[in-house]
Structures are given as C-alpha cells and as structure tokens.
Amino acid sequence: MLRRLRAPIVMLIGIYAVAVLGLVLIPGVDSDGKPYHIDFFHAFYFISYTATSIGFGEIPHPFTYQQRLWVLLCIYLAVTGWAYAIGSIFGLMRDESLRKAIAYARFRRKVRRITEPFYLICGYGQTAKLLCKVLDDLDIRFVIIEQRQERVNDIALADFHYDTPCFAGDASNPEILQIAGILHPQCIGIVGITGNEDANLAIAISAYVMRPKLLSICRSRNQSVADNMASFGTNKVINLFETVGRKFARRLQQPAVAQLYDVLTDFPGNPITYEQSPPLGHWVIVGFGRFGGAVYKSLLAAGCSVSVIDPEPQPHIPAQDFTLALGVDAQALLKANIQNAVGLLVSHDNDANNLSALATARELNPHIFTVARQNLAHNHILFTAFKPNITSIRAQIIAHECLSAMENPLLADAIALIQHQSESWANALLPRIHQLSHGKVPEIWRIQLNAQNTTAVHAMLAQPVPPLQIRHYTHDALNHGDELRCLALLHRHAGQDTLLPELDTQLHFGDELLFIGDHHARIAHNAVQESISLLDYIRTGQEQPQSWIFRRLAQRQKDRRDAAIEQQID
C-alpha cells in the first residue's frame, strides 16, 4: 500500500519543502518598516494551514507583494498535490486485491476473537440460509465461507443476532479452512454444503486430516462420492436423493413414524403439521432423474405399479411403463394412465415444468394425490397456490438433515431407534409432543452427567443422597418446582439406549439424557446444570442456603437433629 502511495507522498513533501523554503527566503516588512525573515517553524506552520485550506489567518505582519505572490503559487501547488494524493488513495481503496486483503485480515481477527462454540459452514446457498437462520434463532454461532462475493454481501443483510464472520474464498483450500477456524478450540463442527461436489469432498478430507474428532457433515449428490466421504470417517454424509427415497418409503410404510421423524427433525418453533400419507396403488412419475429414481424404488418396494414419463430414454424401465415425453401435456399423461392413478410425482429440475404437469394432471384426475419437487425457494408462492399434498424442497431436506446431526448427536441415535418402533407407539407419542410445545416443533437438548457437569459431580459423587432420578428434571427449579413441559426421549446408560425411560429411573455418573420440550424447560435445565443449589432444590424440594455461613448453620442444625434421633434410639 505504501509503495503505491510513494509518488503522491513524495510530491506533497516536495511541494511543502519548496513552499516553506521560499517563504523563509523572501523577506517581509514588520510594523516598524524594517525587513525581517520568517523562520522555518513559522513558515511550515503558515503553509500547513494554508495548503490544507484551513486559512487560519494568523500572520505576524502583513505580507509584502513578493510574499503574497509566492503564497499564491504555493496554494495552487498544494491543492494540486493534495488532489493527486487523495485521488491515489481512493484509487487504491477501490483496488480489489487491497479490499480482499483488508477483508481477509478482518475475518481472521473476528474468528480469532470468538469465545463461544461455533460451526464452520462452507457454502451459503439456499440450504445454508435456512440452516443459519435456525442456528441463529437457537443462539448458536457460526462462521461462513462462500465462494461468491455477492452471497457474502447477502450475509451482511441477513440480520443475524451475532456479527457473523464471513469470507469470500474457496472452502476446499485447507489454508482458508484454517483461517476460518477449523483448528479453533471453540469450533465444534464443519458443514460442507457448497454446490460443488469436489469441494465438499475436499472439505471432508481436510476436516478428517486436520481435526479427526471434529463433527463433519457434508452433502453429496453422487453415491460414489458419498461412499468415499464415509470411508474416511465423515460423521454425516447427506445424499439428497437417497434421503428423499428413504423418507418417501417411510411415509408409505410407516406414516406415523414418518410423522414423528419429521417433527423431531423440523426447525424448532415451526407449527407442527400433519401431512397426508401417500396412498398405495398406481403412480405416475413425471421427470425421472435421481430424485424420481429414488421415489420409483420406494414405490416398487411398497408394491405399487409405476408409469414413468421422461424426455430421456430410460432403458432399465419396462417399455410398457415408460413414455418418452416431457409430461406436461395431456396426451403423455393419459398414456401413463393418469386417470386411474392414485398418485403423481413431478420431479423435473425445472419448476415451470413441474407446475405445468401438476395443472394438467389435476384437470384429468382431480382427486389424485400429488407430490411436487420445488427446486427454487423463491417459487414457494406458486407451489403454495397449487397446494400439492407434499412439496419436497431440496434446501429444506438437506437443512433438516444437517440440523439433526448438528444440534444434538443423541438425536440421530434416538431417530434410529424410533424407526424400529411400531405405528401405535408413534401414534401414542405424537399427541404428547403436540401438547408439550403447544402445537409447535419442540426444542431438543442433551444433558450429560459427566466430569464437565459440576452439578452432576456434586449429585453423583460428592453428595449422592438422595439419588438423582429422571423425574427430578421435570421440576422447574426457576418457578417453585412446577412441572416443566418436557419429556425425556432417550436415556443412555453404559452404552445402552432406552427410548422414553421411566421417570423413576436412577441416573448414574456418565449417563446422558435427551429431552424435548418448550424453551422455558430448556432454560430451566441449563440453569440446573450451572447451579448446585438448584439441582439440590429439584432433588430434595428444599431451598438450600446460598452463603457459607447459612450452610454451616444448616449443617449444624442437621447434626443436632441426627444426634437427638440417635439418643432416642439408644
């Protein structure tokens, strides 16, 4: 920067030097009519406020004609010099490399100063926008790396609660990841959801090499890349199309379990919605890409017959079940037997084609069950107006999968167990969740009874009587022991997981609990984990003295009571 400003600086110094020297050499006349010379200090003082257009006007004596002529020349020279210098500075500030260097230094400084746990998110597309919004609502901090500068500019307008560090750079570059805080002690996970498959793979590899134990979540559209990521220990690989197929199969075969899964993986605070289960029978798929292919397998596995319409030949589909067309006209849909179909899936990668196929199909079969793929988030108004029975939004699916892995690692284990439960078990649990959170998606949190939890050390090791039970966590320590709106979803003890544990289950050191409930219950549990007196309150129902003196007095009274009881026994 200084090298590029060398010329204007030298020019200014030269102008000032010549101006000061001339003013010193040119004689003036004092009030007595005697000649005098201004010294260097006062000449520099005069030129400084004159050349900068301050015009202070403090001069010892009126200038002579020669002095005024010289000052006039100096003024124009100084104005020219300053104009040149200021123009150079503005030109330098517009320089892309300098702006990037400043942004780089600022980003590095912000990341270094983070003192709270944060996630490193690579990519800021539609999925990341949804994910960051939810994390921000949950008061979880994050750092963003995005390749495109215009998307980085959008982050500044996103109105997050925290000042989010963000940088326009290539997330597949390990040096960028290091600057973004992958080695920062407060970094608790990295999420690779860029639109570039190779970049996501590079992020997964970098995370494994630089911090093998760090939670890493990466998106993949290709099964071979997904397998590659999983092979070296990426904690969560999200294959969009595999996820879509799995979710659709679950809706076909276990609608209540699928509904419970959707509630637990939805964004906290969203209204709980109950979607209609897809019917079994004949289906028509319009647009047979990887999305349609995933649903096609699920429908066949559920015993449905399926007709496919696609503009590209699909040799592995039986000829009698395939129509070579775009699928937006009535002729192609009728050939696929749309009038007798129970369901329609439109899964083109173009929203206009999907909406056109939906409209035509409803004209031919008004009662058909419709599933639509929405590709772009800003088209939600059109899809809301069409009201398909199920709208599958790619960004939301991936964001839900990321959140379920990020928010709580125990949740993924709980969901894996839930998928093996019966429909009646899920149907019994859904109303309880609905009641807990007043019809909104509940918050989910974990309590670890380990060495990092000082209240657990107190309750399990220092003062284990009375034994701590799960029911104690249903009492509100912040509100006179009232019942909290929360539910223990999972209890992990000695590596064994139990869904919906009994309230009288005794807790042990090293146990983990997964709770669902409203926001107040979460706050109350956080307070209990930070205060021994609050934990003792929910455990005994008695308020414990806060100061050392009152604790000593209480202990003395207790000792006296115990001694009196022993004497009576003797």
Side-chain angles (χ1 to χ4, degrees), residues 40 233 285 397 400 430 438 500 519:
F40 278 98
I285 294 180
I397 293 172
H400 285 157
L430 280 169
H438 306 285
L500 299 181
H519 187 63

mmCIF file of all heavy atoms in Angstrom, residues 40 233 285 397 400 430 438 500 519:
data_model
loop_
_atom_site.group_PDB
_atom_site.id
_atom_site.type_symbol
_atom_site.label_atom_id
_atom_site.label_comp_id
_atom_site.label_asym_id
_atom_site.label_seq_id
_atom_site.Cartn_x
_atom_site.Cartn_y
_atom_site.Cartn_z
ATOM 1 N N PHE A 40 11.838 28.823 9.868
ATOM 2 C CA PHE A 40 11.299 27.597 9.252
ATOM 3 C C PHE A 40 10.035 27.103 9.971
ATOM 4 O O PHE A 40 9.091 26.654 9.336
ATOM 5 C CB PHE A 40 12.367 26.486 9.267
ATOM 6 C CG PHE A 40 13.337 26.611 8.141
ATOM 7 C CD1 PHE A 40 14.579 27.210 8.335
ATOM 8 C CD2 PHE A 40 13.011 26.157 6.853
ATOM 9 C CE1 PHE A 40 15.461 27.348 7.293
ATOM 10 C CE2 PHE A 40 13.908 26.295 5.806
ATOM 11 C CZ PHE A 40 15.135 26.892 6.013
ATOM 12 N N GLY A 233 -14.328 -41.470 7.499
ATOM 13 C CA GLY A 233 -14.795 -41.061 8.809
ATOM 14 C C GLY A 233 -15.624 -39.801 8.863
ATOM 15 O O GLY A 233 -15.783 -39.232 9.942
ATOM 16 N N ILE A 285 -44.881 -41.000 -12.482
ATOM 17 C CA ILE A 285 -43.725 -40.140 -12.185
ATOM 18 C C ILE A 285 -43.384 -39.353 -13.439
ATOM 19 O O ILE A 285 -43.114 -39.925 -14.495
ATOM 20 C CB ILE A 285 -42.512 -40.977 -11.737
ATOM 21 C CG1 ILE A 285 -42.812 -41.664 -10.400
ATOM 22 C CG2 ILE A 285 -41.280 -40.093 -11.611
ATOM 23 C CD1 ILE A 285 -41.669 -42.517 -9.887
ATOM 24 N N ILE A 397 -34.808 -30.163 2.903
ATOM 25 C CA ILE A 397 -34.454 -31.548 3.242
ATOM 26 C C ILE A 397 -33.024 -31.614 3.762
ATOM 27 O O ILE A 397 -32.738 -32.210 4.807
ATOM 28 C CB ILE A 397 -34.616 -32.451 2.002
ATOM 29 C CG1 ILE A 397 -36.097 -32.547 1.608
ATOM 30 C CG2 ILE A 397 -34.058 -33.834 2.271
ATOM 31 C CD1 ILE A 397 -36.332 -33.252 0.293
ATOM 32 N N HIS A 400 -32.662 -29.843 7.190
ATOM 33 C CA HIS A 400 -33.176 -30.668 8.288
ATOM 34 C C HIS A 400 -32.181 -31.758 8.651
ATOM 35 O O HIS A 400 -31.947 -32.036 9.834
ATOM 36 C CB HIS A 400 -34.503 -31.303 7.883
ATOM 37 C CG HIS A 400 -35.636 -30.327 7.891
ATOM 38 N ND1 HIS A 400 -36.784 -30.501 7.162
ATOM 39 C CD2 HIS A 400 -35.795 -29.147 8.519
ATOM 40 C CE1 HIS A 400 -37.599 -29.495 7.361
ATOM 41 N NE2 HIS A 400 -37.013 -28.652 8.168
ATOM 42 N N LEU A 430 -47.009 -38.881 19.491
ATOM 43 C CA LEU A 430 -47.235 -37.624 18.769
ATOM 44 C C LEU A 430 -48.136 -36.643 19.535
ATOM 45 O O LEU A 430 -47.792 -35.454 19.647
ATOM 46 C CB LEU A 430 -47.826 -37.922 17.385
ATOM 47 C CG LEU A 430 -46.816 -38.346 16.320
ATOM 48 C CD1 LEU A 430 -47.512 -38.878 15.079
ATOM 49 C CD2 LEU A 430 -45.917 -37.153 15.946
ATOM 50 N N HIS A 438 -47.255 -26.871 22.706
ATOM 51 C CA HIS A 438 -48.386 -26.058 22.229
ATOM 52 C C HIS A 438 -48.518 -26.085 20.709
ATOM 53 O O HIS A 438 -48.759 -25.054 20.073
ATOM 54 C CB HIS A 438 -48.240 -24.609 22.703
ATOM 55 C CG HIS A 438 -48.067 -24.475 24.178
ATOM 56 N ND1 HIS A 438 -49.090 -24.630 25.077
ATOM 57 C CD2 HIS A 438 -46.962 -24.209 24.910
ATOM 58 C CE1 HIS A 438 -48.644 -24.460 26.291
ATOM 59 N NE2 HIS A 438 -47.339 -24.200 26.237
ATOM 60 N N LEU A 500 -37.948 -43.233 25.806
ATOM 61 C CA LEU A 500 -38.980 -42.890 26.787
ATOM 62 C C LEU A 500 -38.745 -43.622 28.112
ATOM 63 O O LEU A 500 -39.556 -44.449 28.549
ATOM 64 C CB LEU A 500 -40.367 -43.224 26.241
ATOM 65 C CG LEU A 500 -40.786 -42.479 24.963
ATOM 66 C CD1 LEU A 500 -42.189 -42.894 24.556
ATOM 67 C CD2 LEU A 500 -40.724 -40.979 25.172
ATOM 68 N N HIS A 519 -39.181 -23.916 25.301
ATOM 69 C CA HIS A 519 -37.952 -23.153 25.521
ATOM 70 C C HIS A 519 -37.684 -22.931 27.007
ATOM 71 O O HIS A 519 -36.534 -22.964 27.450
ATOM 72 C CB HIS A 519 -38.063 -21.805 24.805
ATOM 73 C CG HIS A 519 -36.812 -21.005 24.818
ATOM 74 N ND1 HIS A 519 -35.645 -21.429 24.217
ATOM 75 C CD2 HIS A 519 -36.521 -19.804 25.393
ATOM 76 C CE1 HIS A 519 -34.704 -20.533 24.388
ATOM 77 N NE2 HIS A 519 -35.203 -19.538 25.109
#
